[in-house]
Amino acid sequence: MFEDTKMPEGMNPEVLEHLMSPKNYGKLDNASGVGVALDEKTREYVIFYTLLDGDIIIDVKFATNGCQDTVVIGSMFTEMIMNNNIEYANKAIAKMNDKLGDMTPQQQVCADIVFSAFIASLKNFENLQNGLEEELHLFKMKESCETPIEGDSNE
Amino acid sequence: MNKLYQQKHELWLEITFASFAISDEAIKSRLYEFSLIAFRHMKWLGSDILEKGDDYNYDRELTLQKLDTSFQIIHALESSVTNAIANYPKDILGERMKTDDVYLLEYLKEILSCEFNNQTITAFNMKREWIDKNLAQDQIDALTLFLFEESYKEYELILIYAYMQARTKDVMHFNVFQDLIDESHFHLKSFGNMMAKLGILTLPRMLHEMTYVVKDLEQFVKDGIEEEEAAKIMCKELSDAIKDEDLSNFFDFVNYQESYHIELMKKLL
């Protein structure tokens, strides 16, 4: 199902389009869950808004102060998961991670921060369902753009 | 009031990016002057809002239409300016903004009165060709990424510094913020015009409040200095990669400017 997904290697027209007009960029006022992944070293963050109907992701938005790789990956990922269920979204993460194997360590960190923010938004939704008062759920990234990649991406 | 502030923010961007998109140097330059006036309107409006105990944010809904001719851009701008005027408050600032914008409308009509001004717009064609430069594809790619990265950063810095400037009581800080805003305006203008030449002109993405609501100035400045250092490295790498003397010299020039930004920022510590 992800065979045609092209990752941002080089400057193909698809990447250029995501750079010029990132998809699903912004805020959602009525999100079911809001998640933030933060790189404390660089202060770069991704905030992810997810609106669910049952387990279907009916709307999604993201925003970041990060680099263009983060923007392109966020734009592509949100397009992939929109109007699909959470299981599909988790497979999309795995599939994109496979493809990111060819990318630089810095780009992998950018992908991880996007995926972590999405997972944080689901965690926020779960916490709210369980009666917890939480404006958003925060994941602090273990790996930074400035450091070599080792181990997991969030805590 | 935030709705009016958002409209002014969008109008500043629309005039600025119309200036970048249009290739006629005289029109480009004149529109850019009007864009700086619009930015001052936005600054004064922000101060008024804060003085009244209210607040504003940098949310916006504007998208940059990929128009084909100068006249299409000017007509769209006419419509936005006219809509903005209708919402200005009936006070001294409102009158000032109105008289400025009525004068801008007269200038726009003057442009439209001469068919020669109706030129084809190439700023959005995505061709990534610099007609009078001989740049290899890898150089174009490096330049493209740099321009996307840095045009966003300059827009971000303009708005963050303006946000902090509006809230500081320290005169020295106010002046440093103004210098940094002025410098970033110049960089955004330079990079925006380059993006238009390459056919990749686009608005910087919207700022989320997590980016501009600064709770720890010292940490922000330290992070900012690191970012300036990173920008210097990017400029140096680009200057080395671009085999064109004019462009290479320009990126060296920007690199030296970033060095002084660091000195300015240290004054905030």
Side-chain angles (χ1 to χ4, degrees):
Chain A
M1 58 186 160
F2 305 109
E3 287 72 16
D4 296 329
T5 306
K6 291 176 187 162
M7 295 309 300
E9 296 171 30
M11 190 57 64
N12 66 41
E14 187 192 2
V15 170
L16 195 58
E17 179 57 34
H18 283 287
L19 276 173
M20 288 184 75
S21 311
K23 307 294 181 286
N24 307 307
Y25 195 87
K27 298 196 282 191
L28 268 186
D29 291 332
N30 58 341
S32 310
V34 182
V36 171
L38 173 71
D39 178 341
E40 284 190 298
K41 195 164 181 186
T42 62
R43 307 305 297 171
E44 284 189 8
Y45 71 86
V46 173
I47 184 164
F48 217 102
Y49 300 84
T50 305
L51 179 62
L52 296 166
D53 182 4
D55 76 334
I56 305 292
I57 299 163
I58 56 171
D59 204 355
V60 65
K61 289 272 189 294
F62 80 104
T64 180
N65 63 345
C67 67
Q68 300 302 335
D69 288 330
T70 307
V71 175
V72 171
I73 292 166
S75 178
M76 287 179 162
F77 179 62
T78 53
E79 274 203 316
M80 287 171 80
I81 65 173
M82 180 80 90
N83 295 318
N84 285 295
N85 62 20
I86 292 171
E87 187 189 349
Y88 181 99
N90 286 327
K91 283 181 186 169
I93 291 176
K95 187 70 184 177
M96 283 187 81
N97 264 326
D98 284 349
K99 287 180 178 279
L100 294 176
D102 295 334
M103 301 187 79
T104 65
Q106 190 186 5
Q107 286 170 322
Q108 287 184 26
V109 171
C110 295
D112 284 344
I113 198 169
V114 171
F115 303 148
S116 298
F118 168 65
I119 293 165
S121 75
L122 297 182
K123 184 69 184 165
N124 177 238
F125 172 69
E126 185 187 316
N127 288 342
L128 293 172
Q129 292 296 104
N130 291 331
L132 202 71
E133 285 187 20
E134 184 184 60
E135 191 180 346
L136 54 81
H137 195 80
L138 175 70
F139 279 155
K140 292 179 181 175
M141 305 299 290
K142 281 183 180 167
E143 302 299 342
S144 169
C145 280
E146 296 185 345
T147 57
I149 311 301
E150 275 180 31
D152 295 329
S153 61
N154 56 51
E155 59 188 28
Chain B
M1 280 298 268
N2 187 52
K3 199 70 193 164
L4 177 61
Y5 187 85
Q6 180 178 329
Q7 192 174 27
K8 195 79 228 182
H9 177 189
E10 291 174 352
L11 187 58
W12 162 57
L13 284 175
E14 202 175 340
I15 303 170
T16 304
F17 280 73
S19 154
F20 298 159
I22 291 174
S23 51
D24 180 286
E25 286 298 333
I27 298 174
K28 179 189 284 297
S29 166
R30 197 77 194 282
L31 283 179
Y32 189 73
E33 287 172 8
F34 279 109
S35 85
L36 292 180
I37 292 172
F39 185 78
R40 288 200 292 279
H41 291 173
M42 184 176 146
K43 175 178 163 181
W44 296 331
L45 200 53
S47 297
D48 264 18
I49 290 170
L50 294 179
E51 275 173 25
K52 287 171 183 157
D54 209 343
D55 205 356
Y56 60 87
N57 62 37
Y58 289 138
D59 287 0
R60 51 166 232 242
E61 287 159 19
L62 178 70
T63 52
L64 197 62
Q65 295 180 69
K66 296 179 179 180
L67 300 172
D68 298 324
T69 68
S70 305
F71 276 16
Q72 287 176 353
I73 290 177
I74 298 297
H75 278 303
L77 197 50
E78 252 189 330
S79 168
S80 300
V81 174
T82 306
N83 289 339
I85 289 172
N87 292 326
Y88 290 157
K90 302 209 179 312
D91 57 16
I92 293 172
L93 176 58
E95 278 304 310
R96 161 67 200 256
M97 295 194 295
K98 185 178 170 185
T99 51
D100 284 350
D101 283 2
V102 167
Y103 190 71
L104 169 57
L105 283 176
E106 284 173 19
Y107 176 62
L108 298 180
K109 281 192 176 65
E110 189 185 314
I111 296 171
L112 293 168
S113 69
C114 177
E115 191 56 39
F116 176 77
N117 291 327
N118 195 14
Q119 295 175 5
T120 303
I121 296 295
T122 59
F124 312 112
N125 66 14
M126 294 172 80
K127 284 190 174 172
R128 297 199 302 134
E129 293 169 354
W130 196 313
I131 301 296
D132 48 353
K133 304 263 179 228
N134 186 22
L135 299 175
Q137 196 54 51
D138 60 334
Q139 294 173 39
I140 293 271
D141 283 353
L143 185 56
T144 301
L145 281 174
F146 175 88
L147 291 174
F148 277 115
E149 198 83 50
E150 292 304 309
S151 61
Y152 167 75
K153 277 293 160 196
E154 299 300 345
Y155 170 69
E156 181 188 280
L157 289 175
I158 290 169
L159 293 189
I160 295 175
Y161 293 140
Y163 196 85
M164 290 198 287
Q165 187 190 43
R167 286 158 178 78
T168 187
K169 304 287 181 216
D170 185 311
V171 175
M172 194 269 286
H173 284 191
F174 187 95
N175 289 335
V176 169
F177 289 135
Q178 188 59 52
D179 285 343
L180 291 167
I181 290 167
D182 292 344
E183 294 275 296
S184 284
H185 272 303
F186 172 70
H187 286 180
L188 179 61
K189 176 187 170 188
S190 304
F191 300 150
N193 282 320
M194 285 184 178
M195 291 173 97
K197 270 188 184 262
L198 286 172
I200 54 170
L201 185 62
T202 186
L203 281 179
R205 58 190 193 273
M206 190 181 85
L207 259 62
H208 191 280
E209 58 259 30
M210 277 182 69
T211 303
Y212 58 83
V213 179
V214 174
K215 289 175 182 151
D216 181 345
L217 177 64
E218 190 175 329
Q219 188 59 49
F220 170 79
V221 171
K222 285 178 180 168
D223 293 341
I225 288 171
E226 280 185 24
E227 272 194 23
E228 291 285 353
E229 294 283 8
K232 274 168 58 65
I233 292 167
M234 279 183 78
C235 276
K236 181 74 177 70
E237 285 174 354
L238 196 61
S239 166
D240 292 343
I242 299 279
K243 308 296 179 209
D244 175 275
E245 196 179 346
D246 289 345
L247 281 176
S248 188
N249 286 343
F250 175 77
F251 288 115
D252 282 339
F253 157 73
V254 171
N255 183 9
Y256 291 124
Q257 293 193 329
E258 306 284 3
S259 298
Y260 195 67
H261 293 176
I262 292 170
E263 295 310 307
L264 287 171
M265 292 175 83
K266 283 179 184 168
K267 292 182 184 180
L268 297 169
L269 290 174

